[in-house]
Amino acid sequence: MNPPIYAALSSIPGREDMLSQVVASILPQVDHLYLCLDGHREPPDFLSGPGHDKITLKFSQRGYPKAKFAMIESIEEGIILSIDDDIAYPEDYAKTLVAGLRKYPGPTICGFHGHLFTDTPDFTDVSKIISYQRTLKKDTYVHAVGSGIAAWDARYCKVKAEHFPFSAGADSQLAVLGQKNRWPFVLLSHTAKWLVPLWPEGTDGIRRVGESCIWTHTKKNLASRLNARPANQWAVAQVERWVLHTHENKPGPG
């Protein structure tokens, strides 16, 4: 019997066009979508269409990303997909992650984007990033996985809102949880452009993130709740020794 599949997503105002595309692509692939509208006063019109009885909505103010995880933390059984509102998810996205979790059973988080540290952890160093937009020829263990392109089995990995004390930097905060529980983080092999950002293309054909993106606020070190630097710095300090956990490391319980 196949386990139920749940998706969890947070979105902030100004991303309605991208959010509509994410919902349209992911909804047919899951049994239920938990959607947190952070900073919204009312739901966008497109959330009232056919098939949207599979969506549970929650409104929050400044709860991003914690509110997303609060919506799914009580789920005891099933596959959790943690997704973002600015990525185009292909029609075989959920199926691919479920297959990955079957390949790597137990307390494991699988994804397609992450950080692999060779020395001192640095979540802002782009040289440490394995990007979801590029081809990855083989499955690869990493120290941190992109939390908007990730999945885990709720029976083994308990991811809760309390694990995310900062309003940005979910990747580094999730990495701390993985380090403390000795969970392997695995990036699954994939081809370039299987996953692509939904940000508009420039005149040169390159998609660049907008001003309302966490990466932009973090890179510029803006005084904003979308700046992940405080969370990243906190994460590095939380772990005395960053270990690349694999399935030979005998990961601990969730």
Side-chain angles (χ1 to χ4, degrees):
M1 182 176 178
N2 294 325
I5 302 173
Y6 306 100
L9 167 64
S10 286
S11 187
I12 58 178
R15 300 188 178 192
E16 288 80 3
D17 288 345
M18 292 188 294
L19 176 62
S20 67
Q21 296 178 66
V22 171
V23 170
S25 65
I26 206 69
L27 200 58
Q29 303 184 49
V30 301
D31 294 287
H32 204 84
L33 170 62
Y34 292 90
L35 171 57
C36 175
L37 296 172
D38 188 71
H40 291 259
R41 298 296 181 184
E42 57 186 24
D45 291 340
F46 64 82
L47 290 177
S48 59
H52 288 64
D53 54 337
K54 292 169 57 176
I55 301 177
T56 295
L57 290 178
K58 178 179 180 178
F59 294 88
S60 71
Q61 299 297 321
R62 303 183 67 83
Y64 180 90
K66 179 181 294 188
K68 172 177 79 172
F69 297 109
M71 296 183 76
I72 51 88
E73 65 182 15
S74 62
I75 295 175
E76 297 290 336
E77 187 171 341
I79 303 300
I80 306 293
L81 308 183
S82 177
I83 62 176
D84 273 342
D85 63 357
D86 59 355
I87 295 174
Y89 295 96
E91 62 183 12
D92 58 345
Y93 178 76
K95 180 173 66 175
T96 302
L97 278 169
V98 170
L101 290 169
R102 285 176 177 160
K103 183 177 180 181
Y104 301 99
T108 304
I109 294 186
C110 289
F112 301 99
H113 180 96
H115 293 75
L116 180 60
F117 304 128
T118 54
D119 40 44
T120 304
D122 184 354
F123 287 93
T124 60
D125 185 350
V126 296
S127 69
K128 312 295 185 185
I129 296 175
I130 299 176
S131 173
Y132 68 92
Q133 298 186 59
R134 299 174 182 172
T135 295
L136 186 63
K137 293 183 178 181
K138 63 178 182 178
D139 297 354
T140 303
Y141 288 102
V142 291
H143 294 94
V145 67
S147 60
I149 323 176
W152 56 88
D153 191 323
R155 293 176 299 172
Y156 305 114
C157 296
K158 305 302 179 185
V159 180
K160 301 182 178 181
E162 66 187 42
H163 299 135
F164 299 87
F166 294 87
S167 60
D171 296 2
S172 58
Q173 295 172 81
L174 182 61
V176 170
L177 182 63
Q179 287 290 307
K180 290 183 175 180
N181 286 283
R182 297 189 294 128
W183 294 341
F185 285 2
V186 185
L187 300 189
L188 304 177
S189 62
H190 58 278
T191 57
K193 297 186 178 181
W194 181 68
L195 284 162
V196 294
L198 286 170
W199 297 95
E201 286 187 0
T203 55
D204 55 2
I206 297 175
R207 295 180 184 270
R208 293 183 174 86
V209 298
E211 291 301 314
S212 65
C213 178
I214 287 176
W215 175 254
T216 300
H217 284 236
T218 303
K219 184 178 180 180
K220 295 182 177 180
N221 199 21
L222 301 178
S224 147
R225 70 186 181 110
L226 295 180
N227 185 349
R229 289 201 186 199
N232 294 343
Q233 293 166 356
W234 168 86
V236 171
Q238 292 297 303
V239 180
E240 182 176 353
R241 177 172 172 264
W242 287 77
V243 176
L244 187 64
H245 294 295
T246 70
H247 288 81
E248 285 72 41
N249 291 121
K250 298 181 179 179

